[in-house]
Amino acid sequence: MRNQKQIDGQRQMDFASKFNFVREAGTSGEEKAAQLIREELEGFGADCQEEPFIFETFRMKEARFVVTEPYEKEYTVTGYGRCGSTPLEGIEAPFLYIENGDDISLTYAKDKIVMVNAPVKKEMYEKLAAAGAAGFVSISGTPVDEGEDLIPRAYRLPVLAETPLQGVSIHYQDAVEIVTKGASRAKLVVSQENTERTSRNIIARIEGTDKAEEILTLTAHFDSVPEGPGAYDNMAGCAIIMELCRYFKENRPRRTIEFIWFGAEEKGLLGSRNYVNVHQEELAHHQFNMNVDLAGQLVGGTVIGVTGAEAICQMLTYMAHEIGIGMTTRNSIWGSDSNTFAWKGIPAMTLNRDGFGMHTRHDTMDLLSPWSLARSATLLGHIAESLANIEIMPFPKKMPEEFMKQLDEYFEG
Ligand SMILES: [Zn+2]
């Protein structure tokens, strides 16, 4: 970087520390976070725009699971989002533990409420439906959890055309009790409704000098999951691109750089999907998306996930050599907002640092480090500055066929 000394890890810490609250998309927490991002930008004179959008989600009204035979006990459960509702009074059926839901076990699932080990995703849901299961329970947590960690995790299915059976998640320790005590019959109640919420993206644009029509994006999502305040996932990423926004305001690039803080990433990349819809006509000018998701913890290593031609991995690795900051690359699709750009044919990357506690209440500021934030901001800043000022963009714009197939499946499958 031309002026590496302008990158300040402590300033990123101070900024991220203002967001020590849950920011679930569509809630007042997320709205407040958007306001804080705007204030920060205005504080150093960067113009920004807010782009609100509406999304559909679910509201869980009730989720209950009661073993009725050979003993009677109600257990604490969390309902699965988007699996529909049981009749009001619930369903009562024989109960069976079917472990991993293998094909042998599934032959016994018909008309039963079945318990499986892993969180139920689309594929397992369809298997359970095909096997004629009446309902499902999945196991979360560990044998050593205590206190708050005994609350079963919340899961949601993708939007499915049909939801013939409903399900809940239960804690590991309760699952052990249920099987040990020989539960043979149970009752399941799930009640949820669809509702509309508003989320928003914040966009700050730094106009390029002589190559302004070519656009680069630096992006990070600012929403969190409901379980915790998401410092590592992803206020750290937000702080890194904020630091780079300050930098490029002082060190104006040849190409235009758009800085985007996305809402509702945790609900299925909804912020970036809204962005590519609203800005459809400009997408042809986009050269490369640089996303950050999961960053800032001290202990960890940096992986740059590149969705685009393999040559991009080599060029990014070369840039990391220039600045001497360790990283590796992985050439694949990536479960974050960079996928959305790639899906639109724009080469994209996500900078990702390994870390602890994603999507839990343990994902707090305590684990972030100014050293790590400065290091990632310097690496990403160097990449962005090189690309923003290079005479001719060196990245092939063509998305490999194989990724295009995987992205279609990811977004439409
Ligand atoms: Zn994230």
Side-chain angles (χ1 to χ4, degrees):
M1 287 181 97
R2 280 181 298 186
N3 294 301
Q4 198 174 323
K5 287 207 181 82
Q6 291 174 11
I7 299 297
D8 184 337
Q10 189 55 47
R11 180 166 53 204
Q12 296 176 64
M13 280 296 276
D14 295 344
F15 171 68
S17 300
K18 295 178 186 170
F19 298 80
N20 202 6
F21 52 89
V22 169
R23 304 174 303 281
E24 186 181 9
T27 67
S28 57
E30 195 199 36
E31 197 179 339
K32 179 178 156 193
Q35 185 56 36
L36 288 171
I37 290 169
R38 293 184 63 144
E39 282 168 16
E40 187 78 11
L41 287 164
E42 283 153 16
F44 60 89
D47 292 330
C48 68
Q49 244 178 315
E50 184 164 318
E51 293 186 347
F53 56 92
I54 289 168
F55 67 98
E56 251 203 35
T57 184
F58 59 89
R59 192 176 73 83
M60 193 60 64
K61 294 198 292 190
E62 193 182 13
R64 294 176 58 205
F65 177 73
V66 186
V67 170
T68 55
E69 280 176 29
Y71 67 104
E72 201 169 318
K73 182 173 174 182
E74 177 158 3
Y75 291 90
T76 302
V77 293
T78 305
Y80 262 74
R82 300 208 192 101
C83 67
S85 300
T86 59
L88 269 184
E89 68 284 6
I91 50 160
E92 193 172 345
F95 174 84
L96 184 69
Y97 175 41
I98 57 165
E99 303 160 78
N100 287 336
D102 58 88
D103 291 344
I104 299 168
S105 303
L106 276 170
T107 56
Y108 299 99
K110 191 166 170 45
D111 297 328
K112 295 190 179 106
I113 297 171
V114 293
M115 184 163 77
V116 293
N117 297 332
V120 171
K121 296 183 176 163
K122 182 171 180 251
E123 196 187 347
M124 181 51 65
Y125 186 81
E126 285 168 352
K127 279 190 180 180
L128 293 172
F136 68 88
V137 179
S138 78
I139 302 171
S140 77
T142 75
V144 296
D145 288 343
E146 301 171 6
E148 282 178 66
D149 291 329
L150 294 174
I151 298 167
R153 274 191 60 173
Y155 298 102
R156 62 168 196 260
L157 294 168
V159 178
L160 298 171
E162 282 169 53
T163 52
L165 73 160
Q166 288 72 48
V168 294
S169 95
I170 197 166
H171 193 271
Y172 183 104
Q173 294 170 22
D174 283 336
V176 170
E177 177 177 299
I178 286 167
V179 178
T180 306
K181 291 176 86 170
S184 60
R185 213 174 156 77
K187 192 179 148 181
L188 180 72
V189 183
V190 177
S191 169
Q192 58 188 309
E193 63 183 11
N194 291 334
T195 140
E196 283 189 343
R197 295 267 166 82
T198 302
S199 178
R200 52 199 31 88
N201 299 329
I202 308 290
I203 305 172
R205 192 178 157 108
I206 293 184
E207 203 66 25
T209 52
D210 63 315
K211 292 181 183 290
E213 69 292 347
E214 295 183 29
I215 302 169
L216 298 167
T217 47
L218 277 159
T219 61
H221 76 84
F222 69 93
D223 65 313
S224 75
V225 295
E227 286 82 1
Y232 164 60
D233 181 14
N234 184 37
M235 274 326 293
C238 292
I240 288 168
I241 70 163
M242 183 63 79
E243 189 68 11
L244 294 178
C245 189
R246 278 178 191 274
Y247 179 86
F248 285 108
K249 192 153 186 307
E250 295 302 311
N251 299 273
R252 213 163 141 208
R254 297 178 73 187
R255 289 181 177 76
T256 296
I257 308 184
E258 265 192 19
F259 296 82
I260 315 168
W261 290 265
F262 288 124
E265 189 267 356
E266 301 288 5
K267 302 288 183 198
L269 315 185
L270 301 184
S272 51
R273 293 172 78 168
N274 185 70
Y275 176 87
V276 297
N277 282 337
V278 173
H279 297 268
Q280 207 160 3
E281 277 160 25
E282 299 152 35
L283 294 183
H285 301 287
H286 280 247
Q287 306 295 319
F288 190 48
N289 167 243
M290 291 161 275
N291 184 54
V292 191
D293 196 358
L294 304 179
Q297 289 187 8
L298 193 150
V299 175
T302 300
V303 179
I304 294 185
V306 174
T307 315
E310 207 194 338
I312 296 173
C313 292
Q314 286 140 25
M315 288 186 255
L316 292 176
T317 304
Y318 179 87
M319 290 174 201
H321 279 72
E322 284 183 317
I323 197 145
I325 294 180
M327 53 80 96
T328 53
T329 58
R330 198 180 313 149
N331 197 201
S332 68
I333 68 165
W334 208 267
S336 184
D337 290 307
S338 53
N339 254 5
T340 312
F341 288 87
W343 189 39
K344 296 294 162 183
I346 301 159
M349 58 157 266
T350 288
L351 185 149
N352 168 297
R353 189 170 173 84
D354 324 315
F356 172 83
M358 176 181 91
H359 295 177
T360 71
R361 67 189 176 86
H362 304 292
D363 182 3
T364 65
M365 284 303 295
D366 296 343
L367 299 175
L368 296 200
S369 120
W371 173 83
S372 169
L373 288 167
R375 200 169 156 81
S376 291
T378 303
L379 174 61
L380 187 63
H382 177 64
I383 291 169
E385 190 169 48
S386 304
L387 294 172
N389 294 312
I390 199 166
E391 184 59 29
I392 297 163
M393 265 303 287
F395 291 179
K397 232 186 145 179
K398 195 160 164 38
M399 191 57 55
E401 202 75 355
E402 181 53 30
F403 290 160
M404 223 44 240
K405 251 175 36 197
Q406 291 172 25
L407 289 163
D408 280 339
E409 170 73 15
Y410 183 92
F411 285 102
E412 287 160 351

